Amino acid sequence: KTKKIKVFGLTTSTGKQICFEVPHGKNQFNAAKWARFLKKRVAPFLQRCFPGQTRFQLLLDGEGLLHAPEAKRAMAECGIKTLPDWPGYSPELNPQEHVWSRAEPDLRALESGTDEYSAWKKKVLAAVKAYPSPQKLVGSMSRRVKTCLARQGAMLDC
């Protein structure tokens, strides 16, 4: 039987990361729970990363609950705006979109076949946290944005 784990991840422009398991199953994650997580975990993380700042901009993927009315209200309360006009087909510009392709091979190497699900979840979070975002993604963001703009939002070859 296959079990799934969903992870929320955020990488800042300074390369700092936060990631955590998104509850699923009978504790289904919904927009109201996301709004609480946003206030409890994401906003304080951003405030620690950018001391003295009261306004933040986030690039979110297309996950519907991230854009639900409850989530938008919570973001507004926390001084968070999203980038509304971001090209829809440019995942290369969202650092978190690169994490799984790097984390998956590491996880396959760690897979023992005898892992309990709870132990496996810890390995998933550890592999996601181990992604070298400051070196690999944040440093190349300027080049990737310029390329995306030149291609009018089309997929990049990087």
Side-chain angles (χ1 to χ4, degrees):
K1 185 175 179 181
T2 302
K3 291 186 177 184
K4 294 181 180 181
I5 179 173
K6 191 170 193 174
V7 175
F8 170 82
L10 174 73
T11 302
T12 69
S13 59
T14 61
K16 294 182 181 169
Q17 293 178 301
I18 182 175
C19 67
F20 50 85
E21 178 188 0
V22 175
H24 64 285
K26 71 178 185 180
N27 295 323
Q28 188 66 38
F29 206 61
N30 58 33
K33 287 183 181 178
W34 163 244
R36 287 194 297 274
F37 264 68
L38 190 109
K39 290 178 183 179
K40 184 177 177 182
R41 308 248 340 241
V42 177
F45 165 75
L46 291 170
Q47 290 163 353
R48 285 191 307 276
C49 291
F50 302 100
Q53 295 292 319
T54 58
R55 300 214 174 272
F56 310 96
Q57 284 191 326
L58 294 183
L59 168 61
L60 299 174
D61 66 16
E63 179 75 39
L65 65 88
L66 301 178
H67 303 278
E70 299 99 323
K72 288 181 179 181
R73 281 192 295 276
M75 285 189 274
E77 289 173 25
C78 296
I80 298 171
K81 283 179 43 179
T82 59
L83 297 169
D85 297 326
W86 205 253
Y89 297 102
S90 57
E92 297 90 344
L93 299 179
N94 184 344
Q96 286 306 129
E97 296 292 338
H98 297 268
V99 173
W100 186 248
S101 62
R102 164 71 191 264
E104 187 175 11
D106 293 347
L107 286 169
R108 298 283 178 221
L110 294 171
E111 193 171 22
S112 70
T114 59
D115 285 328
E116 292 292 324
Y117 185 62
S118 60
W120 180 247
K121 287 192 306 186
K122 289 178 184 175
K123 288 181 181 179
V124 168
L125 289 173
V128 169
K129 288 178 182 176
Y131 188 80
S133 63
Q135 302 85 357
K136 296 283 184 179
L137 297 174
V138 175
S140 65
M141 185 60 79
S142 176
R143 175 185 53 80
R144 288 186 283 130
V145 167
K146 287 176 187 173
T147 303
C148 182
L149 291 171
R151 298 182 84 183
Q152 298 178 335
M155 293 287 284
L156 307 183
D157 297 325
C158 51

